[in-house]
Amino acid sequence: MAGATVAKYLRMWGDSVEVFLVKRNASYTSNIMSSLVLTGQRTMASLNYSYDSLFNAWGVQVLRDEVLEIDPVGVKVRLASGTQLAADRIVLAPGIDFDPVPGLGNSDRMPHAWKAGPQTALLASQLAAMPDNGVAVLTIPKTPYRCPPGPYERACLVADWLKQRKPRAKLLVLDANADFVTERDNFSRAFNDLHGDVIDYRTSAEVLQVDPATMSITTAAETFRNVDVVNLIPRQRAGSLVTATGLANATEGRFAAVDPLSYASTLAPRIHVIGDASATTQPKAGHIANQEAKVCADAIIRSFASLAPDPAPVTNSACYSTITMRQASWLTAVFQYNPANGTMQPVAASSAASVGWNKDHFDQMNTWFKALMADSFS
Ligand SMILES: Cc1cc2nc3c(=O)[nH]c(=O)nc-3n(C[C@H](O)[C@H](O)[C@H](O)COP(=O)(O)OP(=O)(O)OC[C@H]3O[C@@H](n4cnc5c(N)ncnc54)[C@H](O)[C@@H]3O)c2cc1C
């Protein structure tokens, strides 16, 4: 999300700027909307986005390769193919990686499905194969993690699906946090009232150990054995490239500290880190990744003209949460740069959440998603 958007806008706003976008896969698979694959409401193919428009419409040089190493001082990139690139600026947008979970090893019996792809399809098939009176577990890691409302909306969606497809099944939600980390009014009502007969919600329940052979999960309070399906979402950190480059200097060494006027790393002024890999006061969300990318592109183009970055950037985020298979709630926030402390600060008057959920919001979610993906990829 962040990488595609910054590449597009660097070309759109800086006609003479040469841009290389290095990405691992032939196409991008959207995480946004991927929980709907679990309920059969979307296909994996519907989440695929081509990079062709970035080249055809905007002249971005798209390289299918893997970045192995970055020289933050010489501003150079070494790729798996052996190619070396030298640049005036490097923008890193590698997303997230996961902490290892004790006991999990290489087992795929407890998928995270938090990077959309084969794990999403695997979790969908595990849920479909679950016995009618089965128990599924969804674990929520400590903050900060990718998409704060995401695990709660996935729990609601799966609970609604279970009611229809496996009416005697239960969903145990183990939240490592002390309470809902966002949209508390809507999620607490959905968990306790609407889905109260399906969802069993435990707070401060960090996963300490798992055993895929016996499908067991241990928290400080309890061990749950022989569960049927486990959606294990581990604790998160910036994509390994950020750590390997020595730029993960915030959030206990998990994410990259940046200057939100340009998203330049606080350690390497010509390397920018955007999207989920950076540590800012904004949520780790695709919409915010898109916004950060534009602020970053603008700052880079200004710097090429020896101009300072925009001193007062504003970003915004909209988020729709599926509360049932047909109804959604929403949450929106606007952030403005605060020069007093150098952070993006929420603008209270412009931040709001829906009171409850309905079908109109669900339909608007599809419109919002199409617009965001078009802005990022075409
Ligand atoms: C279930 C779910 C639902 C979500 N719903 C929403 C929502 O409703 N709204 C919202 O705003 N956000 C949502 N999000 C969050 C959103 O998906 C992320 O915030 C967003 O994808 C972050 O963008 P990014 O560019 O930082 O990372 P990504 O989108 O993960 O992109 C990182 C890219 O970098 C590539 N890469 C990594 N390392 C290398 C390397 N060494 N070489 C080459 N390429 C590399 C990866 O392959 C990947 O393509 C959701 C997430 C999930 C999991």
Side-chain angles (χ1 to χ4, degrees):
M1 298 294 294
T5 312
V6 78
K8 168 179 164 178
Y9 277 85
L10 276 168
R11 291 286 307 145
M12 187 196 288
W13 291 336
D15 207 25
S16 58
V17 180
E18 200 178 2
V19 181
F20 291 87
L21 175 68
V22 184
K23 78 295 174 314
R24 281 191 185 121
N25 302 316
S27 59
Y28 178 75
T29 306
S30 169
N31 302 302
I32 305 176
M33 304 295 236
S34 65
S35 291
L36 291 158
V37 173
L38 306 179
T39 52
Q41 292 170 272
R42 269 194 174 260
T43 60
M44 289 304 299
S46 77
L47 300 175
N48 265 354
Y49 288 83
S50 157
Y51 295 99
D52 289 354
S53 291
L54 295 182
F55 174 70
N56 293 332
W58 301 107
V60 174
Q61 306 291 317
V62 182
L63 304 181
R64 185 175 177 192
D65 212 321
E66 172 150 11
V67 179
L68 291 187
E69 199 181 2
I70 285 176
D71 171 354
V73 180
V75 197
K76 291 184 189 136
V77 176
R78 185 166 68 82
L79 307 182
S81 61
T83 304
Q84 305 253 14
L85 298 171
D88 295 300
R89 299 296 174 118
I90 296 173
V91 182
L92 288 181
I96 51 148
D97 273 328
F98 301 104
D99 280 7
V101 179
L104 183 63
N106 294 326
S107 172
D108 62 0
R109 291 192 79 190
M110 299 182 167
H112 53 72
W114 215 242
K115 287 185 186 182
Q119 289 227 343
T120 316
L122 176 65
L123 181 59
S125 65
Q126 290 175 342
L127 284 167
M130 192 171 122
D132 281 353
N133 62 348
V135 175
V137 177
L138 184 153
T139 74
I140 304 176
K142 277 192 179 153
T143 57
Y145 62 80
R146 160 175 282 179
C147 193
Y152 303 104
E153 71 158 344
R154 177 176 286 183
C156 289
L157 194 62
V158 169
D160 197 41
W161 178 82
L162 288 174
K163 280 182 201 168
Q164 296 170 36
R165 298 288 294 274
K166 320 260 173 192
R168 290 181 299 143
K170 298 281 176 216
L171 176 63
L172 175 63
V173 179
L174 300 177
D175 192 340
N177 303 289
D179 199 354
F180 297 97
V181 303
T182 186
E183 225 186 308
R184 189 176 193 294
D185 286 355
N186 285 331
F187 286 131
S188 62
R189 231 161 37 86
F191 272 42
N192 296 326
D193 301 338
L194 184 67
H195 302 306
D197 49 345
V198 179
I199 294 181
D200 176 357
Y201 180 49
R202 313 286 177 96
T203 52
S204 303
E206 187 178 4
V207 175
L208 302 179
Q209 175 92 28
V210 298
D211 180 358
T214 58
M215 292 297 278
S216 305
I217 305 175
T218 302
T219 66
E222 221 172 321
T223 293
F224 304 91
R225 295 187 173 83
N226 295 321
V227 296
D228 297 290
V229 174
V230 179
N231 179 192
L232 181 67
I233 306 173
R235 212 168 165 202
Q236 293 159 30
R237 49 180 62 247
S240 59
L241 208 49
V242 170
T243 318
T245 313
L247 302 182
N249 59 336
T251 341
E252 298 163 12
R254 290 181 177 276
F255 296 97
V258 292
D259 173 0
L261 290 182
S262 64
Y263 293 88
S265 155
T266 57
L267 298 177
R270 290 165 72 196
I271 313 290
H272 303 247
V273 186
I274 53 174
D276 289 357
S278 65
T280 76
T281 47
Q282 302 156 111
K284 297 192 184 302
H287 195 135
I288 284 289
N290 167 287
Q291 300 278 291
E292 291 181 354
K294 291 175 191 171
V295 174
C296 177
D298 179 53
I300 290 175
I301 289 163
R302 285 175 189 240
S303 80
F304 289 162
S306 302
L307 296 172
D310 176 356
V314 175
T315 58
N316 78 299
S317 171
C319 185
Y320 290 89
S321 295
T322 48
I323 302 294
T324 73
M325 288 173 67
R326 299 274 169 245
Q327 300 190 327
S329 61
W330 57 259
L331 183 68
T332 185
V334 174
F335 298 86
Q336 187 156 35
Y337 184 70
N338 179 355
N341 61 15
T343 67
M344 297 300 289
Q345 195 162 309
V347 180
S350 315
S351 304
S354 65
V355 178
W357 47 86
N358 63 38
K359 182 172 178 312
D360 283 352
H361 302 339
F362 191 96
D363 295 341
Q364 285 157 9
M365 172 175 75
N366 288 314
T367 308
W368 161 84
F369 176 61
K370 273 190 203 146
L372 177 66
M373 299 315 277
D375 188 42
S376 301
F377 286 90
S378 47

